[in-house]
Amino acid sequence: MTRAGVLRTSLRLLTWCCVILLAVLSLLPAQEMVRTDLPGQFEHFIAYAGSAAIAMAGYGLSRGGMRVIGGFWAYAGILEYLQHFSPGRHPSFEDFAASALGVLCGGLVVALLWRSPAIRRIVGR
């Protein structure tokens, strides 16, 4: 397998690790949560921006960037809704909006970086 193939496979595996981690962190009961000193919406933004960036780097060109972004938007909405069923948690439109904005920003950064000839050489595209 080429270096680009190993990188792509690693990014795809890391994408699914992010998907699982987002679910675990989103659905943990409130008393088990450990928060940073950052505002909650900023935590959402960072988590989803990073996850979307990884997913775009691993799947973006082969799956289509809008599919990756749309998939993460839907996932963020589903996880927010499911907080109804997690003790001490509640869904929030503001949290969803922060997550969706993070997805868009993370995805766009990688999509713009793809245009760089140096990056294209690294990933073999």
Side-chain angles (χ1 to χ4, degrees), residues 16-63:
W16 290 104
C17 290
C18 288
V19 166
I20 292 166
L21 186 59
L22 287 171
V24 168
L25 294 175
S26 294
L27 302 176
L28 261 175
Q31 68 272 15
E32 295 181 31
M33 288 177 43
V34 176
R35 303 302 299 239
T36 67
D37 290 333
L38 300 172
Q41 282 84 21
F42 195 61
E43 290 177 345
H44 280 254
F45 179 88
I46 291 170
Y48 279 89
S51 298
I54 291 166
M56 283 290 286
Y59 287 104
L61 293 181
S62 64
R63 295 285 192 263

Side-chain angles (χ1 to χ4, degrees), residues 74-99:
Y75 192 57
I78 290 166
L79 290 177
E80 277 300 316
Y81 173 76
L82 289 175
Q83 286 184 5
H84 275 296
F85 309 104
S86 185
R89 303 293 298 270
H90 61 280
S92 160
F93 179 77
E94 290 81 10
D95 288 348
F96 167 75
S99 300

